Amino acid sequence: MSTNGFVSLVGAGPGDPDLLTLKALRRLQEADVVVFDRLVSNAIMALVPAGVSRISVGKSPGNHCVPQAQINTVIVNLALAGRRVVRLKGGDPCIFGRGGEEALVLRKHGIPFEFVPGITAASGCSSYAGIPLTHRGLSHGVQFVTGHRRDGEELALDWNKLADPDCTLVIYMGLANADYICAQLLRAGLAAGTPAVAIQDGSQAGQRKVFASLADLADRISTAGLGAPVTLIVGRVVALAAQLDWFDANAAGQTGEN
């Protein structure tokens, strides 16, 4: 099916607009319509030119206000009408962003598209917390998983594989299940004293951080009252933040629990 429309599946990064790629910014400036998620920051949406249509399809944990099938329909219909569509997603569209699913729907309808990668939450949030994801002698690899349960199903992860003291573990969307995640990692053999951190709104002016041992992380999150979006990082590299945490010191108005 031919169409004059085009869809750019664009990663907005973790929130700081300065972390947008040049290509992502260019696509926003060229768009006829921007279909955006809840995790796209207000500062990034402020870069969308006046007069460009904006459609929010934001979803929050436990409140999927726009079903994925409906989002697919919106994007397809806009493109078939000849619009230049930017499908704007927090982080990277292909890392727990369902970008691949949306691209398959576009391909099915013969709609041309592109992926514009963004800085994923693991990289953005860790960097702005002073945590290198790998470091000689501390971590030789990184594992990315999602802590979100689908429709109330059990969080089916290979806990024995994830409980690797020589790797850094990053859990996306893990706030609601932080207690369960920490308990499973401990049960799988990861040391109770393993350094861990929960980061809310990473890279943004309102960034908050809670550092703790793995055994205490869930309780500390609850006490601090963190709210989504939260990224969890577990591993020995987290301890480096005590020396490398640059953002709190440099950014005016920054808050955090250390």
Side-chain angles (χ1 to χ4, degrees):
M1 183 180 297
S2 63
T3 175
N4 292 323
F6 188 85
V7 178
S8 297
L9 297 153
V10 177
D16 182 349
D18 286 343
L19 296 182
L20 277 176
T21 65
L22 292 174
K23 189 169 186 177
L25 179 59
R26 194 160 58 242
R27 290 297 181 263
L28 288 177
Q29 294 170 338
E30 297 167 348
D32 295 318
V33 58
V34 175
V35 180
F36 65 100
D37 282 345
R38 181 184 65 91
L39 294 181
V40 178
S41 69
N42 292 334
I44 289 175
M45 289 305 299
L47 298 174
V48 178
V52 174
S53 298
R54 308 174 189 210
I55 300 175
S56 172
V57 292
K59 295 184 287 185
S60 58
N63 181 26
H64 293 252
C65 58
V66 182
Q68 185 62 48
Q70 186 175 336
I71 295 173
N72 295 344
T73 299
V74 168
I75 299 168
V76 166
N77 288 343
L78 288 168
L80 291 177
R83 312 293 291 279
R84 290 171 298 179
V85 182
V86 167
R87 174 67 175 106
L88 192 60
K89 297 171 173 286
D92 182 277
C94 295
I95 300 181
F96 304 123
R98 307 187 77 163
E101 296 176 39
E102 293 176 4
L104 287 171
V105 172
L106 295 170
R107 179 55 53 85
K108 178 181 178 181
H109 287 83
I111 297 169
F113 67 88
E114 66 178 348
F115 289 120
V116 180
I119 293 177
T120 188
S123 295
C125 295
S126 62
S127 294
Y128 275 58
I131 300 169
L133 290 177
T134 63
H135 190 85
R136 275 196 303 176
L138 295 179
S139 172
H140 59 59
V142 187
Q143 300 187 78
F144 296 166
V145 297
T146 174
H148 175 67
R149 304 188 196 205
R150 181 178 179 180
D151 299 326
E153 297 176 0
E154 182 179 353
L155 193 57
L157 297 172
D158 186 341
W159 299 106
N160 290 327
K161 182 178 179 180
L162 296 177
D164 183 350
D166 295 320
C167 281
T168 305
L169 175 61
V170 181
I171 303 106
Y172 290 66
M173 299 171 282
L175 178 63
N177 298 306
D179 186 67
Y180 178 80
I181 291 167
C182 293
Q184 292 301 314
L185 291 172
L186 291 168
R187 189 171 292 116
L190 200 57
T194 302
V197 64
I199 306 170
Q200 173 187 324
D201 295 323
S203 84
Q204 300 180 56
Q207 172 180 288
R208 300 177 65 202
K209 308 185 303 298
V210 171
F211 290 91
S213 66
L214 176 62
D216 295 332
L217 182 63
D219 287 341
R220 290 289 306 279
I221 290 172
S222 179
T223 299
L226 295 189
V230 167
T231 302
L232 309 179
I233 305 176
V234 180
R236 292 190 291 249
V237 291
V238 173
L240 291 172
Q243 303 174 67
L244 303 181
D245 190 355
W246 59 273
F247 186 55
D248 280 355
N250 294 354
Q254 183 74 15
T255 61
E257 288 80 20
N258 293 287

